[in-house]
């Protein structure tokens, strides 16, 4: 899900195959454990997402807003057709 390279202070978020309500709680816990100040940048990979619903999108948008408010840049590494 989330890997952090502490040496470079970068994180990569790999969204799950099923990015739906069944994975929303796990993602929420991951976001809570990733403290602002630990990472300087985030890469998001949504290339494996085959199922997506509003719960995960809401969590993701909320987390990205927090990162934006702390001036932490984030970038898309990939997005599946479903995610797009």
């Amino acid at each position: 899900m989330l890997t952090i390279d502490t040496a470079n202070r970068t994180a990569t978020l790999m969204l799950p195959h099923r990015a739906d309500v069944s994975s929303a709680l796990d993602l929420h816990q991951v976001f809570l454990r990733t403290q602002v100040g630990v990472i300087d940048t985030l890469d998001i990979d949504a290339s494996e997402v085959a199922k997506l619903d509003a719960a995960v999108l809401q969590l993701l948008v909320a987390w990205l807003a927090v990162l934006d408010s702390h001036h932490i840049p984030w970038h898309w590494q990939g997005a599946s057709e479903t995610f797009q």
Side-chain angles (χ1 to χ4, degrees), residues 10 18 31 35 58 61:
T10 60
R18 290 186 57 165
F31 296 161
Q35 298 176 10
Q58 290 171 334
V61 168

Side-chain angles (χ1 to χ4, degrees), residues 5-83:
D5 178 350
T6 54
N8 294 324
R9 297 179 50 92
T10 60
T12 301
L13 173 66
M14 174 65 113
L15 290 176
H17 181 74
R18 290 186 57 165
D20 60 9
V21 71
S22 68
S23 64
L25 181 59
D26 289 339
L27 281 171
H28 184 254
Q29 294 301 317
V30 167
F31 296 161
L32 288 176
R33 285 192 307 264
T34 307
Q35 298 176 10
V36 171
V38 173
I39 62 172
D40 289 335
T41 188
L42 171 71
D43 293 319
I44 305 166
D45 188 341
S47 61
E48 298 297 319
V49 174
K51 185 174 182 184
L52 179 66
D53 70 17
V56 169
L57 286 175
Q58 290 171 334
L59 281 172
L60 186 58
V61 168
W63 193 45
L64 295 178
V66 169
L67 295 178
D68 283 345
S69 73
H70 289 277
H71 309 288
I72 297 172
W74 50 272
H75 313 279
W76 294 106
Q77 280 189 335
S80 67
E81 186 175 320
T82 299
F83 192 83

